[in-house]
Amino acid sequence: MTTGFAGAADAGETLVIAADEDVVRVRQHVRTVAVKVKLSLVDQTKLVTAASELARNTLVYGGGGKAEVTVVDNGRRRGVRIVFSDQGPGIADLDLALTDGYTTGGGMGLGLSGSRRLVDEFDIETAVGEGTRITVTKWSR
């Protein structure tokens, strides 16, 4: 799942995810940064949707955590990188968790797999008992 990243990153902002209103705040901040780097409206929507899903997962399954939103530049184009991290229980079966329709919470089971399809780069690190770190990047076209 790891994709390489080469390029510079602007100092970003770290947002705490501890309550439902924090998920909304993450979504709003991601939209603001996506507009700043001139993502198309479609790409803004894709990134905000992925960020919303991953922030919700951080809260619900990870017990809360943080989102670090950063503007990145690879020398050809700019983008937005978001790192979601928690110190929750981790994901025991990552392949299963990334399968469409798999859920442990009664939802539609499209959070991780759907988010992966909405962004250009998706990386996930997880360890049972230690937590999860998901990094996503969306590049301008």
Side-chain angles (χ1 to χ4, degrees), residues 56-118:
R56 170 86 34 217
N57 282 1
T58 299
L59 177 63
V60 173
Y61 301 109
K66 62 185 178 178
E68 300 170 62
V69 183
T70 308
V71 174
V72 291
D73 187 326
N74 69 2
R76 293 179 300 131
R77 54 192 177 160
R78 297 176 76 196
V80 181
R81 179 193 304 145
I82 314 165
V83 179
F84 296 90
S85 57
D86 66 60
Q87 294 181 335
I91 302 170
D93 188 336
L94 186 55
D95 289 334
L96 182 60
L98 287 167
T99 303
D100 283 348
Y102 175 77
T103 180
T104 59
M108 292 177 20
L110 297 174
L112 286 179
S113 61
S115 294
R116 181 170 57 176
R117 284 191 299 273
L118 292 171

Side-chain angles (χ1 to χ4, degrees), residues 3 14 23 29 46-49 54 91 95 98 106 117-118:
T3 55
T14 300
V23 174
H29 184 68
K46 287 179 178 180
L47 182 61
V48 169
T49 300
L54 296 172
I91 302 170
D95 289 334
L98 287 167
R117 284 191 299 273
L118 292 171

